[in-house]
């Protein structure tokens, strides 16, 4: 028997296994038109606005910090294409992606989270860096009932288990 107000009940969600990423850190020497033009030519998408994510042919492009984006793709190819305007580093080994899907994803992230995931303004195309179950994460909603959670590999399995409970 569950007493009223003695349990947290959330809508069901599905939590994927942690997946590898192909993220490449691109840090502009100067966030100017030359960088924006070269970036768009190399990645196939514009540099995302602050706190936003855009889609490119190789996958998501995530705003990370001023002058820094995480672009999906081949690090060597991006380094060659952007060498005059940016420093490029392969950080694919630094991230794992966990997909959380279902109507209750927002409520699930509110359990032991430090971010208001229930705010409707936090929608597809947004990114937030926060803590979730003691792990630093980036949250990227991918639809009304889905969010990608990016986390360091060392936290990935524990975070997946916590989200699945």
């Amino acid at each position: 028997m569950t007493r009223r107000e003695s349990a947290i009940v959330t809508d069901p969600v599905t939590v994927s296994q942690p997946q590898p990423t192909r993220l490449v850190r691109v840090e502009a020497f100067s966030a100017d038109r030359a960088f924006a033009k070269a970036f768009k030519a190399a990645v196939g998408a514009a540099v995302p606005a602050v706190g936003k994510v855009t889609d490119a042919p190789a996958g998501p492009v995530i705003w990370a910090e001023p002058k820094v984006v995480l672009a999906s793709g081949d690090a060597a190819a991006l380094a060659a294409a952007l060498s005059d305007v940016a420093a490029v580093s392969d950080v694919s080994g630094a991230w794992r992606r966990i997909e959380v899907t279902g109507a209750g994803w927002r409520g699930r992230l509110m359990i032991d989270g430090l971010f208001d995931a229930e705010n409707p303004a936090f929608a597809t195309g947004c990114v937030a860096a926060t803590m979730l179950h003691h792990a630093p994460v980036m949250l990227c909603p991918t639809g009304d009932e889905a969010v990608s959670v990016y986390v360091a590999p060392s936290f990935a399995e524990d975070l997946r288990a916590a989200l699945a409970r």
Side-chain angles (χ1 to χ4, degrees), residues 48-133:
V50 173
K52 298 295 182 180
V53 177
T54 59
D55 288 322
V61 179
I62 304 167
W63 181 90
E65 58 186 90
K67 299 195 314 181
V68 177
V69 295
L70 298 174
S72 299
D74 179 311
L78 290 175
L82 297 171
S83 63
D84 291 339
V85 294
V88 177
S89 304
D90 184 346
V91 294
S92 57
W95 296 99
R96 294 295 179 269
R97 184 183 66 250
I98 299 170
E99 300 294 336
V100 182
T101 56
W105 74 264
R106 291 177 184 276
R108 188 66 56 95
L109 296 186
M110 295 298 293
I111 300 169
D112 202 21
L114 300 173
F115 177 76
D116 183 7
E118 293 180 320
N119 184 333
F122 185 58
T124 302
C126 291
V127 62
T130 187
M131 298 290 289
L132 185 60
H133 296 281

Side-chain angles (χ1 to χ4, degrees), residues 8-15 98-119 122-123 126-135 137-151 159-160 162-165:
I8 297 173
V9 179
T10 61
D11 292 324
V13 297
T14 301
V15 179
I98 299 170
E99 300 294 336
V100 182
T101 56
W105 74 264
R106 291 177 184 276
R108 188 66 56 95
L109 296 186
M110 295 298 293
I111 300 169
D112 202 21
L114 300 173
F115 177 76
D116 183 7
E118 293 180 320
N119 184 333
F122 185 58
C126 291
V127 62
T130 187
M131 298 290 289
L132 185 60
H133 296 281
H134 307 285
V137 298
M138 285 189 307
L139 306 172
C140 301
T142 56
D144 291 341
E145 294 192 4
V147 64
S148 292
V149 180
Y150 292 88
V151 64
L159 179 59
R160 185 213 57 81
L163 290 169
R165 282 195 289 271

Side-chain angles (χ1 to χ4, degrees), residues 5 25-28 32-33 46 55 57 59 68 74 88 104 113 123 135-136 156 158-159:
E5 298 178 12
R25 185 177 195 274
V26 178
E27 182 170 359
D32 58 14
R33 288 184 185 175
D55 288 322
V68 177
D74 179 311
V88 177
D158 287 340
L159 179 59

